[in-house]
């Protein structure tokens, strides 16, 4: 469903993504693991079209370079950036609805998707009318997840969602991801993390990114050596 062919990204003379070649199948839960600065965020941003790349990224057979970045969510791609970027003067529900409006999804479909978001994240319904500026950092992560689900009917990308979450909220967040997986077996999830232990037992596939290079990996605890 998602395929990278010889994808490179450079900033100035520095290569940030080096010759990426991999595919992700529909219904995969992919852990993208790498330490700070490895290129995780740049890779997700390249799918959204926020980072210029050479090579080909294909999504459901479509070359993404033929789709302007603002149109990509309309393909069924949802993205929750590492800095949540909620609009604090808007309510929680208005923030969740933004991608649907941006993608010009009609009213009936928007209501259907919002109902799905509230089914998976019922706590958002209770916060719906609150200004997004008044929710805690952890709650804001839930709002950002709900917002990503509004456009992410095919692919949901979550950039270090567990970063900075207190243990109880991290568990709640993981439970929401399991509910999403149970509700929709065909959706593809890409979750980045610097700590592989957090995604153990959750992801069915792991890619490791190191200095902009991607290789197959595993979430199992390392044995001896590095
Ligand atoms: N806008 C930018 N300008 C310059 N360097 C950048 C920019 N964005 C990312 N980088 C560099 O690209 C590399 C990968 O960054 P990033 O994708 O944010 O890694 P990660 O998300 O894995 O921490 C880092 O070396 C970072 O300093
Ligand atoms: Mg990052």
């Amino acid at each position: 469903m998602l395929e990278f062919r010889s994808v490179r990204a450079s900033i100035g003379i520095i290569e940030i993504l080096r010759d990426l070649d991999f595919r992700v199948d529909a219904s995969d839960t992919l852990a993208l693991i790498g330490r700070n600065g490895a290129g995780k965020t740049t890779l997700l941003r390249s799918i959204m079209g926020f980072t210029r790349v050479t090579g080909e990224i294909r999504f459901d057979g479509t070359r993404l370079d033929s789709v302007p970045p603002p149109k990509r969510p309309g393909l069924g791609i949802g993205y929750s950036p590492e800095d949540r970027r909620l609009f604090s003067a808007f309510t929680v529900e208005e923030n969740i609805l933004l991608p649907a409006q941006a993608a010009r999804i009609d009213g009936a479909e928007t209501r259907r998707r919002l109902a799905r978001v509230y089914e998976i994240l019922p706590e958002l319904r209770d916060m719906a009318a609150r200004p997004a500026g008044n929710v805690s950092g952890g709650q804001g992560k839930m709002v950002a997840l709900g917002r990503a689900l509004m456009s992410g009917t095919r692919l949901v990308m979550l950039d270090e969602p567990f970063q900075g979450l207190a243990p109880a909220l991290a568990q709640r967040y993981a439970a929401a991801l399991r509910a999403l997986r149970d509700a929709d077996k065909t959706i593809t999830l890409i979750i980045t993390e610097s700590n592989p232990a957090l995604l153990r037992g959750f992801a069915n596939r792991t890619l490791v990114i190191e200095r902009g290079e991607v290789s197959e990996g595993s979430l199992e605890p390392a044995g001896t050596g590095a």
Side-chain angles (χ1 to χ4, degrees), residues 97 100 104-116 149-151 153:
L97 289 172
R104 296 178 194 282
I105 291 164
D106 71 40
E109 177 64 13
T110 298
R111 281 191 294 281
R112 202 186 62 75
R113 291 189 189 187
L114 186 63
R116 180 181 78 137
L149 295 182
M150 281 304 285
S151 55
T153 54

PDB file of all heavy atoms in Angstrom, residues 97 100 104-116 149-151 153:
ATOM      1  N   LEU A  97     -12.165  18.131  13.636  1.00  0.00           N
ATOM      2  CA  LEU A  97     -12.864  18.233  12.351  1.00  0.00           C
ATOM      3  C   LEU A  97     -12.020  18.859  11.235  1.00  0.00           C
ATOM      4  O   LEU A  97     -12.348  18.716  10.057  1.00  0.00           O
ATOM      5  CB  LEU A  97     -14.157  19.052  12.515  1.00  0.00           C
ATOM      6  CG  LEU A  97     -15.270  18.351  13.293  1.00  0.00           C
ATOM      7  CD1 LEU A  97     -16.419  19.319  13.560  1.00  0.00           C
ATOM      8  CD2 LEU A  97     -15.777  17.126  12.528  1.00  0.00           C
ATOM      9  N   ALA A 100     -11.113  16.995   7.963  1.00  0.00           N
ATOM     10  CA  ALA A 100     -12.280  16.686   7.134  1.00  0.00           C
ATOM     11  C   ALA A 100     -12.676  17.909   6.314  1.00  0.00           C
ATOM     12  O   ALA A 100     -13.026  17.807   5.138  1.00  0.00           O
ATOM     13  CB  ALA A 100     -13.442  16.213   8.005  1.00  0.00           C
ATOM     14  N   ARG A 104     -12.393  18.575   2.264  1.00  0.00           N
ATOM     15  CA  ARG A 104     -13.739  18.794   1.696  1.00  0.00           C
ATOM     16  C   ARG A 104     -14.578  17.526   1.704  1.00  0.00           C
ATOM     17  O   ARG A 104     -15.229  17.162   0.716  1.00  0.00           O
ATOM     18  CB  ARG A 104     -13.651  19.315   0.258  1.00  0.00           C
ATOM     19  CG  ARG A 104     -12.985  20.668   0.174  1.00  0.00           C
ATOM     20  CD  ARG A 104     -12.889  21.122  -1.273  1.00  0.00           C
ATOM     21  NE  ARG A 104     -11.962  22.253  -1.405  1.00  0.00           N
ATOM     22  CZ  ARG A 104     -12.271  23.492  -1.078  1.00  0.00           C
ATOM     23  NH1 ARG A 104     -13.459  23.802  -0.622  1.00  0.00           N
ATOM     24  NH2 ARG A 104     -11.374  24.447  -1.218  1.00  0.00           N
ATOM     25  N   ILE A 105     -14.541  16.849   2.853  1.00  0.00           N
ATOM     26  CA  ILE A 105     -15.363  15.645   3.011  1.00  0.00           C
ATOM     27  C   ILE A 105     -16.785  16.082   3.338  1.00  0.00           C
ATOM     28  O   ILE A 105     -16.985  17.028   4.113  1.00  0.00           O
ATOM     29  CB  ILE A 105     -14.743  14.762   4.109  1.00  0.00           C
ATOM     30  CG1 ILE A 105     -13.422  14.192   3.583  1.00  0.00           C
ATOM     31  CG2 ILE A 105     -15.677  13.654   4.546  1.00  0.00           C
ATOM     32  CD1 ILE A 105     -12.542  13.645   4.634  1.00  0.00           C
ATOM     33  N   ASP A 106     -17.781  15.431   2.752  1.00  0.00           N
ATOM     34  CA  ASP A 106     -19.155  15.922   2.923  1.00  0.00           C
ATOM     35  C   ASP A 106     -19.671  15.670   4.342  1.00  0.00           C
ATOM     36  O   ASP A 106     -19.067  14.933   5.122  1.00  0.00           O
ATOM     37  CB  ASP A 106     -20.096  15.339   1.857  1.00  0.00           C
ATOM     38  CG  ASP A 106     -20.368  13.856   2.072  1.00  0.00           C
ATOM     39  OD1 ASP A 106     -20.535  13.421   3.227  1.00  0.00           O
ATOM     40  OD2 ASP A 106     -20.416  13.127   1.059  1.00  0.00           O
ATOM     41  N   GLY A 107     -20.789  16.297   4.653  1.00  0.00           N
ATOM     42  CA  GLY A 107     -21.306  16.301   6.016  1.00  0.00           C
ATOM     43  C   GLY A 107     -21.601  14.918   6.567  1.00  0.00           C
ATOM     44  O   GLY A 107     -21.234  14.607   7.699  1.00  0.00           O
ATOM     45  N   ALA A 108     -22.247  14.069   5.761  1.00  0.00           N
ATOM     46  CA  ALA A 108     -22.628  12.742   6.256  1.00  0.00           C
ATOM     47  C   ALA A 108     -21.383  11.914   6.559  1.00  0.00           C
ATOM     48  O   ALA A 108     -21.294  11.256   7.597  1.00  0.00           O
ATOM     49  CB  ALA A 108     -23.497  12.035   5.214  1.00  0.00           C
ATOM     50  N   GLU A 109     -20.402  11.967   5.654  1.00  0.00           N
ATOM     51  CA  GLU A 109     -19.172  11.207   5.859  1.00  0.00           C
ATOM     52  C   GLU A 109     -18.387  11.767   7.059  1.00  0.00           C
ATOM     53  O   GLU A 109     -17.812  11.015   7.850  1.00  0.00           O
ATOM     54  CB  GLU A 109     -18.331  11.239   4.577  1.00  0.00           C
ATOM     55  CG  GLU A 109     -16.973  10.554   4.663  1.00  0.00           C
ATOM     56  CD  GLU A 109     -17.034   9.046   4.920  1.00  0.00           C
ATOM     57  OE1 GLU A 109     -18.120   8.446   4.808  1.00  0.00           O
ATOM     58  OE2 GLU A 109     -15.979   8.475   5.266  1.00  0.00           O
ATOM     59  N   THR A 110     -18.398  13.091   7.206  1.00  0.00           N
ATOM     60  CA  THR A 110     -17.720  13.715   8.350  1.00  0.00           C
ATOM     61  C   THR A 110     -18.345  13.236   9.656  1.00  0.00           C
ATOM     62  O   THR A 110     -17.626  12.873  10.602  1.00  0.00           O
ATOM     63  CB  THR A 110     -17.801  15.251   8.252  1.00  0.00           C
ATOM     64  OG1 THR A 110     -17.127  15.672   7.065  1.00  0.00           O
ATOM     65  CG2 THR A 110     -17.160  15.923   9.454  1.00  0.00           C
ATOM     66  N   ARG A 111     -19.680  13.182   9.712  1.00  0.00           N
ATOM     67  CA  ARG A 111     -20.355  12.721  10.936  1.00  0.00           C
ATOM     68  C   ARG A 111     -20.040  11.254  11.218  1.00  0.00           C
ATOM     69  O   ARG A 111     -19.839  10.860  12.352  1.00  0.00           O
ATOM     70  CB  ARG A 111     -21.871  12.943  10.828  1.00  0.00           C
ATOM     71  CG  ARG A 111     -22.280  14.399  11.094  1.00  0.00           C
ATOM     72  CD  ARG A 111     -23.798  14.546  11.244  1.00  0.00           C
ATOM     73  NE  ARG A 111     -24.507  14.242   9.994  1.00  0.00           N
ATOM     74  CZ  ARG A 111     -24.623  15.090   8.972  1.00  0.00           C
ATOM     75  NH1 ARG A 111     -24.081  16.305   9.038  1.00  0.00           N
ATOM     76  NH2 ARG A 111     -25.266  14.753   7.883  1.00  0.00           N
ATOM     77  N   ARG A 112     -19.969  10.458  10.155  1.00  0.00           N
ATOM     78  CA  ARG A 112     -19.659   9.041  10.321  1.00  0.00           C
ATOM     79  C   ARG A 112     -18.246   8.878  10.897  1.00  0.00           C
ATOM     80  O   ARG A 112     -18.013   8.099  11.816  1.00  0.00           O
ATOM     81  CB  ARG A 112     -19.759   8.345   8.965  1.00  0.00           C
ATOM     82  CG  ARG A 112     -19.987   6.838   9.017  1.00  0.00           C
ATOM     83  CD  ARG A 112     -19.937   6.199   7.625  1.00  0.00           C
ATOM     84  NE  ARG A 112     -18.636   6.369   6.992  1.00  0.00           N
ATOM     85  CZ  ARG A 112     -17.537   5.689   7.324  1.00  0.00           C
ATOM     86  NH1 ARG A 112     -17.583   4.787   8.279  1.00  0.00           N
ATOM     87  NH2 ARG A 112     -16.385   5.910   6.708  1.00  0.00           N
ATOM     88  N   ARG A 113     -17.314   9.644  10.355  1.00  0.00           N
ATOM     89  CA  ARG A 113     -15.924   9.533  10.839  1.00  0.00           C
ATOM     90  C   ARG A 113     -15.792  10.060  12.264  1.00  0.00           C
ATOM     91  O   ARG A 113     -15.049   9.502  13.067  1.00  0.00           O
ATOM     92  CB  ARG A 113     -14.988  10.314   9.909  1.00  0.00           C
ATOM     93  CG  ARG A 113     -14.866   9.657   8.549  1.00  0.00           C
ATOM     94  CD  ARG A 113     -13.788  10.316   7.732  1.00  0.00           C
ATOM     95  NE  ARG A 113     -13.815   9.829   6.363  1.00  0.00           N
ATOM     96  CZ  ARG A 113     -12.899  10.124   5.454  1.00  0.00           C
ATOM     97  NH1 ARG A 113     -11.878  10.902   5.773  1.00  0.00           N
ATOM     98  NH2 ARG A 113     -12.996   9.650   4.230  1.00  0.00           N
ATOM     99  N   LEU A 114     -16.509  11.150  12.570  1.00  0.00           N
ATOM    100  CA  LEU A 114     -16.438  11.699  13.927  1.00  0.00           C
ATOM    101  C   LEU A 114     -16.993  10.685  14.930  1.00  0.00           C
ATOM    102  O   LEU A 114     -16.436  10.504  16.017  1.00  0.00           O
ATOM    103  CB  LEU A 114     -17.209  13.022  13.996  1.00  0.00           C
ATOM    104  CG  LEU A 114     -17.095  13.781  15.321  1.00  0.00           C
ATOM    105  CD1 LEU A 114     -15.646  14.213  15.602  1.00  0.00           C
ATOM    106  CD2 LEU A 114     -18.007  15.026  15.315  1.00  0.00           C
ATOM    107  N   ALA A 115     -18.064  10.000  14.541  1.00  0.00           N
ATOM    108  CA  ALA A 115     -18.635   8.976  15.430  1.00  0.00           C
ATOM    109  C   ALA A 115     -17.610   7.869  15.672  1.00  0.00           C
ATOM    110  O   ALA A 115     -17.474   7.364  16.788  1.00  0.00           O
ATOM    111  CB  ALA A 115     -19.913   8.398  14.809  1.00  0.00           C
ATOM    112  N   ARG A 116     -16.860   7.509  14.646  1.00  0.00           N
ATOM    113  CA  ARG A 116     -15.829   6.475  14.793  1.00  0.00           C
ATOM    114  C   ARG A 116     -14.733   6.951  15.748  1.00  0.00           C
ATOM    115  O   ARG A 116     -14.262   6.211  16.607  1.00  0.00           O
ATOM    116  CB  ARG A 116     -15.209   6.137  13.424  1.00  0.00           C
ATOM    117  CG  ARG A 116     -14.133   5.070  13.510  1.00  0.00           C
ATOM    118  CD  ARG A 116     -13.495   4.758  12.158  1.00  0.00           C
ATOM    119  NE  ARG A 116     -12.513   5.759  11.751  1.00  0.00           N
ATOM    120  CZ  ARG A 116     -11.326   5.480  11.203  1.00  0.00           C
ATOM    121  NH1 ARG A 116     -10.997   4.235  10.955  1.00  0.00           N
ATOM    122  NH2 ARG A 116     -10.491   6.437  10.857  1.00  0.00           N
ATOM    123  N   LEU A 149      -7.233  10.467  12.855  1.00  0.00           N
ATOM    124  CA  LEU A 149      -8.181   9.432  12.428  1.00  0.00           C
ATOM    125  C   LEU A 149      -9.250   9.987  11.484  1.00  0.00           C
ATOM    126  O   LEU A 149      -9.860   9.236  10.726  1.00  0.00           O
ATOM    127  CB  LEU A 149      -8.864   8.785  13.640  1.00  0.00           C
ATOM    128  CG  LEU A 149      -7.945   8.004  14.584  1.00  0.00           C
ATOM    129  CD1 LEU A 149      -8.752   7.369  15.702  1.00  0.00           C
ATOM    130  CD2 LEU A 149      -7.178   6.939  13.813  1.00  0.00           C
ATOM    131  N   MET A 150      -9.480  11.297  11.542  1.00  0.00           N
ATOM    132  CA  MET A 150     -10.509  11.886  10.663  1.00  0.00           C
ATOM    133  C   MET A 150     -10.139  11.731   9.186  1.00  0.00           C
ATOM    134  O   MET A 150     -10.990  11.450   8.360  1.00  0.00           O
ATOM    135  CB  MET A 150     -10.706  13.375  10.967  1.00  0.00           C
ATOM    136  CG  MET A 150     -11.544  13.650  12.177  1.00  0.00           C
ATOM    137  SD  MET A 150     -13.187  12.898  12.144  1.00  0.00           S
ATOM    138  CE  MET A 150     -14.063  13.953  11.002  1.00  0.00           C
ATOM    139  N   SER A 151      -8.851  11.929   8.852  1.00  0.00           N
ATOM    140  CA  SER A 151      -8.461  11.743   7.451  1.00  0.00           C
ATOM    141  C   SER A 151      -7.828  10.372   7.232  1.00  0.00           C
ATOM    142  O   SER A 151      -7.833   9.866   6.116  1.00  0.00           O
ATOM    143  CB  SER A 151      -7.501  12.853   6.999  1.00  0.00           C
ATOM    144  OG  SER A 151      -6.391  12.921   7.862  1.00  0.00           O
ATOM    145  N   THR A 153      -8.135   7.136   6.944  1.00  0.00           N
ATOM    146  CA  THR A 153      -8.976   5.949   6.767  1.00  0.00           C
ATOM    147  C   THR A 153      -8.168   4.782   6.207  1.00  0.00           C
ATOM    148  O   THR A 153      -8.569   3.627   6.317  1.00  0.00           O
ATOM    149  CB  THR A 153     -10.152   6.245   5.823  1.00  0.00           C
ATOM    150  OG1 THR A 153      -9.608   6.780   4.607  1.00  0.00           O
ATOM    151  CG2 THR A 153     -11.111   7.241   6.443  1.00  0.00           C
TER     152      THR A 153
END
